[in-house]
Amino acid sequence: MKLSTGMKKALSMFLTAALVVSGVYVSDGKASAKEQVLAVTAGTTNSIKVETNVKVATSAEITFVKPSTFAGVELTGAATNGVVAIAKAATNAATAEYIVDVYASKVVVATKEAVETTAPAKTDAPAKTDAPAKTDAPAKTDAPAKTDAPAKTDAPAKTDAPAKTDATKNTQSLKSSKKAAKAVEEKTVEKVVEEKTKVATIVVKVTAATKPSTTPSTKPAATATAPAATATAPAATATTPATTVPTTAPTTAPTTAPTTAPTKKPAKSKAKFTVAKKVVIAAGKSKTIKYTAKDTKGKTIKAKVSKKANKKYATVKVTSSKKIKITVPKKAKKYKGYYGTVTLKAGKKTAKVKIYVQNKTTKAKAAKKKVTVKKNKTAKVTVKVTAQNKKKATTDTVKVTIPKSKKKYLTYKSAKASKGKVVVSLKAKKKKVSKVPVTIKVGSKKVKVTVRVK
């Protein structure tokens, strides 16, 4: 049957609602999501509820894809009533802005596998209410008029039949409307799909810990007491900060308020200890490395060796409040590629340093000279390496060079050395290209590879 204009409008409204229920917001045929900013100060933790362009299942695992230059910031997330991203910045976190993609392991999508709504069909029972139409029986009361020839006028009483046809039309239109509603319900059924899906993009903005210290000078007593309460009883902040913060700058981004409050924690303790995590030294050689150590008041202090490294690999001596001297004995030649760990302590802060005995690369060769990768995918390029000690991985630094004109097609992500090989990860972008020359240098040995993005 043909649908009336009203039914067509209702059907279009239901179909529009189906797209919103599925969690996908469509504009000109393309799904989109708002860009959100997660601001975090070095040495603190902050969180944000992410507005996603896809509906995420509550049991989904949330992961983040971040660039290799994203230093000192740890990202975690959870899906409960939406997606919550949590950023934890170290005291020495790099101050910059990073675009981070958010992925979910389970998403909710609309499917055509409808739940059969047979129950509405039973609602046709009201059609049986036609029985009252039998009340036309009163027409029989015309019997007294038998003496009058007009008894034949009962024929017009039969014209009540058209009234019955109107009732049937009404029931048929009701059935057709229910069928249309049923068709719409079939399109709004949701299903959890278990696959890694990009659901949103956020901008992580990292600021230095020293900058917020200048702001309390403008708000001395009020800000010094209220934020202190937020650390212990966040529920209480719903009443007091609401009267102070919004009156000054309600138009500023909401992300700025949470970042200023936690900055009071690092202000109380300025303890700091930074030192290299890995050092490579040739057998029979020494190297001096720098470090930074400060106490809770921010005063420079001298570190000390808490746990010594194995003497056959290295000896460590703290020479001043800024330098550490590391020596690898000549006898360590037979331990090339091995490492010893030393633990250093400065105040209440500790740090571990791995000291490797240099294991140089003698030969390097690409496993494949030509590599093909799909758009937006990561290519793994393997370089076969022969080191001085074949039993251990090379300790040489890996450098990857891509021409500037080709970086719009391909970028370098990371490199990992292991026994007999070095694996380099290259990320392909959205554009196709037939040839991208890549030079991989392991120590003093060079390898050239051609990458094609299809």
Side-chain angles (χ1 to χ4, degrees):
M1 291 180 66
K2 292 184 179 180
L3 295 174
S4 64
T5 305
M7 287 303 299
K8 287 180 181 178
K9 287 182 179 179
L11 183 60
S12 65
M13 289 174 70
F14 273 114
L15 291 173
T16 304
L19 287 173
V20 176
V21 170
S22 68
V24 179
Y25 299 87
V26 178
S27 176
D28 298 332
K30 295 181 180 179
S32 62
K34 294 180 181 179
E35 184 181 85
Q36 294 134 98
V37 178
L38 172 53
V40 60
T41 305
T44 65
T45 302
N46 195 21
S47 63
I48 182 175
K49 188 170 184 181
V50 181
E51 292 184 23
T52 64
N53 60 347
V54 175
K55 196 170 184 180
V56 178
T58 54
S59 59
E61 180 183 347
I62 305 303
T63 55
F64 304 88
V65 174
K66 56 191 179 183
S68 58
T69 54
F70 198 100
V73 179
E74 180 185 349
L75 283 173
T76 55
T80 52
N81 217 350
V83 174
V84 177
I86 304 167
K88 183 178 181 181
T91 53
N92 60 339
T95 304
E97 290 184 11
Y98 307 99
I99 298 175
V100 179
D101 293 332
V102 185
Y103 286 83
S105 62
K106 294 180 182 180
V107 295
V108 181
V109 297
T111 65
K112 293 183 179 180
E113 298 175 7
V115 178
E116 294 183 3
T117 54
T118 54
K122 293 179 182 178
T123 57
D124 292 340
K128 294 179 182 180
T129 57
D130 292 344
K134 293 179 181 179
T135 57
D136 294 338
K140 293 179 182 180
T141 57
D142 295 335
K146 287 182 181 179
T147 56
D148 301 326
K152 293 180 182 179
T153 58
D154 291 343
K158 294 178 183 180
T159 58
D160 292 342
K164 293 180 182 180
T165 58
D166 292 337
T168 56
K169 284 181 181 179
N170 290 334
T171 56
Q172 287 174 354
S173 63
L174 179 62
K175 289 178 182 179
S176 63
S177 64
K178 287 175 180 177
K179 286 180 181 178
K182 180 179 178 181
V184 172
E185 287 174 3
E186 288 177 350
K187 293 188 179 182
T188 59
V189 173
E190 296 181 352
K191 186 178 181 181
V192 176
V193 178
E194 296 189 10
E195 61 176 19
K196 189 175 181 181
T197 306
K198 180 180 175 181
V199 295
T201 300
I202 59 174
V203 177
V204 179
K205 186 185 291 185
V206 185
T207 56
T210 54
K211 289 182 180 179
S213 62
T214 58
T215 54
S217 59
T218 57
K219 301 176 184 179
T223 56
T225 56
T230 60
T232 56
T237 59
T239 57
T240 54
T243 57
T244 58
V245 177
T247 55
T248 55
T251 56
T252 57
T255 54
T256 57
T259 55
T260 55
T263 53
K264 284 297 172 183
K265 273 189 179 179
K268 292 179 181 179
S269 176
K270 296 182 180 180
K272 185 180 181 181
F273 188 23
T274 56
V275 66
K277 292 181 180 179
K278 177 183 175 181
V279 180
V280 178
I281 305 173
K285 300 289 183 179
S286 296
K287 183 181 282 188
T288 300
I289 62 171
K290 293 181 179 181
Y291 73 94
T292 301
K294 293 182 180 180
D295 60 12
T296 55
K297 294 181 180 179
K299 185 180 178 181
T300 301
I301 57 175
K302 187 177 179 180
K304 62 181 180 179
V305 178
S306 176
K307 187 177 180 181
K308 296 180 180 180
N310 193 322
K311 288 184 179 180
K312 64 183 179 182
Y313 300 136
T315 56
V316 179
K317 186 179 180 181
V318 180
T319 56
S320 68
S321 59
K322 292 183 179 180
K323 294 179 181 181
I324 299 170
K325 186 178 181 181
I326 304 170
T327 304
V328 174
K330 289 182 180 180
K331 293 179 181 180
K333 286 182 180 179
K334 57 183 177 181
Y335 298 116
K336 288 179 180 179
Y338 287 82
Y339 70 88
T341 304
V342 62
T343 303
L344 302 169
K345 190 174 183 180
K348 293 183 179 180
K349 298 281 185 177
T350 58
K352 291 183 178 181
V353 181
K354 287 183 179 180
I355 304 165
Y356 283 82
V357 181
Q358 190 180 56
N359 190 25
K360 284 188 176 182
T361 301
T362 56
K363 289 181 183 179
K365 183 181 179 181
K368 290 182 180 179
K369 290 187 177 181
K370 292 183 179 180
V371 179
T372 302
V373 60
K374 291 182 180 180
K375 293 188 297 180
N376 289 328
K377 298 293 181 181
T378 301
K380 301 284 186 180
V381 180
T382 303
V383 179
K384 292 181 180 180
V385 172
T386 303
Q388 290 173 330
N389 182 0
K390 296 179 181 179
K391 294 180 181 180
K392 288 289 178 180
T394 179
T395 56
D396 287 332
T397 303
V398 179
K399 292 182 180 180
V400 178
T401 305
I402 300 172
K404 280 187 179 180
S405 59
K406 301 293 182 181
K407 285 185 177 180
K408 58 185 176 183
Y409 306 110
L410 196 71
T411 55
Y412 165 67
K413 283 184 68 179
S414 61
K416 186 178 180 181
S418 57
K419 180 183 174 182
K421 65 180 179 180
V422 171
V423 178
V424 177
S425 297
L426 302 171
K427 178 67 182 293
K429 294 192 177 181
K430 293 182 180 180
K431 296 181 180 180
K432 293 182 180 180
V433 66
S434 58
K435 289 181 181 180
V436 177
V438 179
T439 304
I440 302 170
K441 190 176 180 182
V442 185
S444 60
K445 305 299 177 183
K446 286 185 181 180
V447 173
K448 292 186 178 181
V449 177
T450 302
V451 179
R452 176 192 168 206
V453 181
K454 70 173 184 177

